[in-house]
Amino acid sequence: MTRRPLLPLAAVAAAATMVMAGCVAGEGSAVAPQQTDAPAAAGEWSADRLSLDFATYNPLSLIIRDQGWLEETLGDDVEVVWTQSLGSNRANEGLRAGELDLGSTAGSAALLARANGSPIRTVAVYTQPEWSALVVPEGSDITEVADLRGTTVAVTFGTDPYFFLLQALEEAGVEPSELSIQNLQHADGAAALANGTVDAWSGLDPMMASAEAAGAQLLYRNIDFNSYGVLNATEEFAERSPDLLQLVVDAYERARQWALENPEETAEILAEVGAIDIDIARVVLLERTVIDLDPVPGDVQLDVLTTIGPIQVANGDIASQDAVDAALTELFLPDFARNADPSRFE
């Protein structure tokens, strides 16, 4: 298979920092689900630009970008702009700033953004990953979560590893104030663990699998503390361009089929984009990621977020439980995934 070279990354405005990344003032209005078949004739698309992200934590996005389905379908009528998201917080920043029409995040990060006023809607579920765990260096004296008291832990605020850390601490009876939590992007957290500047890291695959292959140890795993990987659209884009939104969701379902039919090729794409060993890519995709699942956001994802929401409130990431409840009522826009047609790309 011919690989397309990596394109230059589009600039993503970073306005919000720390945990409140991706937040704007005021609540976004609800979007009535719309379904519009993409027009067959050239020049009839609802917009002339489509901006979306790709991320190593979202293997379906890597496949779509690699295969060029969107570019082939849209031709010269719509410019397809790809931006790499290095974490859910960066994707939320891109959505909030209007640099992205669609961005991929953990479900917990989508809830965080929506509850703090970012007008986004979750339109599809791309995977159920066990993409986060607590990681310590080889030979560490830290053998259980309770041992993190008095230590320094790296994590990216506003992402699933962050909420994984908070849930793990709560389960172990440890207050976040009992340790020093450093806000580092995922790759920087992995580097800090490797060079000994932090005692532990709440990691994210594929960097976590790379660290493990180099000798790091997974201190604590719990797939139930990982929220699903979700694709989010801005409300403005959903209202303005339901035809393009449906096309992207259709492409995601074609990518799901392709990944299940071509696991080795999918691992090769992840290894190339993530600059990781192919064996590590296989671990991430084949051992820690559920790809064969229902893409329609619904009760399963709602149950996970209902558990995470109060923890976000208790930690001060969301102002109130009322804000969580309102966000959970407004967040999902399921009709695009429900009506997905992967055969458009066959």
Side-chain angles (χ1 to χ4, degrees):
M1 175 168 47
T2 301
R3 295 275 185 267
R4 296 185 297 113
L6 296 183
L7 302 178
L9 304 183
V12 177
T17 57
M18 303 289 285
V19 212
M20 305 303 289
C23 306
V24 295
E27 286 292 328
S29 60
V31 177
Q34 302 178 58
Q35 297 305 312
T36 303
D37 289 336
E44 293 183 6
W45 296 98
S46 58
D48 58 9
R49 186 177 187 273
L50 172 62
S51 174
L52 67 167
D53 74 345
F54 68 101
T56 56
Y57 55 83
N58 178 358
L60 302 190
S61 70
L62 304 184
I63 293 169
I64 296 168
R65 182 173 177 273
D66 183 84
Q67 296 295 303
W69 294 321
L70 294 175
E71 291 84 351
E72 182 178 355
T73 301
L74 296 170
D76 295 331
D77 296 312
V78 180
E79 178 189 13
V80 180
V81 179
W82 291 97
T83 298
Q84 185 171 15
S85 290
L86 300 178
S88 294
N89 61 331
R90 296 302 190 212
N92 274 336
E93 288 171 5
L95 289 164
R96 186 204 61 78
E99 293 289 338
L100 292 175
D101 298 317
L102 295 125
S104 45
T105 73
S108 59
L111 172 60
L112 174 70
R114 180 77 201 194
N116 284 299
S118 184
I120 63 169
R121 305 295 295 274
T122 292
V123 296
V125 179
Y126 54 83
T127 61
Q128 181 191 17
E130 186 190 3
W131 52 17
S132 185
L134 299 184
V135 190
V136 295
E138 185 176 13
S140 173
D141 294 334
I142 300 171
T143 59
E144 58 184 29
V145 177
D147 294 337
L148 293 176
R149 289 187 177 92
T151 67
T152 300
V153 180
V155 68
T156 307
F157 286 2
T159 67
D160 230 34
Y162 175 66
F163 297 113
F164 183 95
L165 172 63
L166 294 182
Q167 291 176 90
L169 293 175
E170 181 181 60
E171 182 184 64
V174 179
E175 293 293 330
S177 59
E178 294 183 86
L179 54 149
S180 175
I181 301 177
Q182 289 194 7
N183 182 23
L184 299 175
Q185 282 301 128
H186 301 300
D188 295 331
L193 184 77
N195 64 31
T197 57
V198 298
D199 302 298
W201 170 51
S202 191
L204 182 77
D205 271 335
M207 286 80 74
M208 185 170 70
S210 296
E212 189 180 12
Q217 300 172 327
L218 301 188
L219 171 69
Y220 181 71
R221 300 171 66 178
N222 188 336
I223 193 171
D224 292 336
F225 285 177
N226 290 260
S227 63
Y228 287 72
V230 297
L231 181 67
N232 307 299
T234 64
E235 286 189 339
E236 188 274 335
F237 178 69
E239 292 173 341
R240 168 177 53 83
S241 297
D243 55 339
L244 291 174
L245 177 50
Q246 187 65 65
L247 184 74
V248 173
V249 175
D250 292 346
Y252 262 79
E253 287 316 291
R254 179 65 187 102
R256 188 186 311 281
Q257 291 179 346
W258 196 94
L260 295 171
E261 294 165 357
N262 303 278
E264 183 64 21
E265 291 86 345
T266 301
E268 291 174 1
I269 295 172
L270 175 59
E272 179 181 323
V273 178
I276 58 175
D277 187 83
I278 185 64
D279 290 335
I280 293 172
R282 293 188 187 107
V283 168
V284 172
L285 290 172
L286 303 181
E287 298 180 18
R288 296 182 182 167
T289 304
V290 178
I291 296 176
D292 189 8
L293 50 71
D294 185 351
V296 181
D299 290 342
V300 175
Q301 291 74 35
L302 185 64
D303 288 345
V304 175
L305 298 182
T306 299
T307 299
I308 293 175
I311 297 172
Q312 294 174 314
V313 173
N315 198 58
D317 303 323
I318 296 175
S320 68
Q321 186 60 43
D322 287 345
V324 170
D325 294 341
L328 291 176
T329 300
E330 302 163 346
L331 182 59
F332 294 166
L333 189 61
D335 281 4
F336 292 96
R338 191 173 288 132
N339 296 334
D341 180 11
S343 68
R344 294 175 73 174
F345 300 97
E346 294 178 353

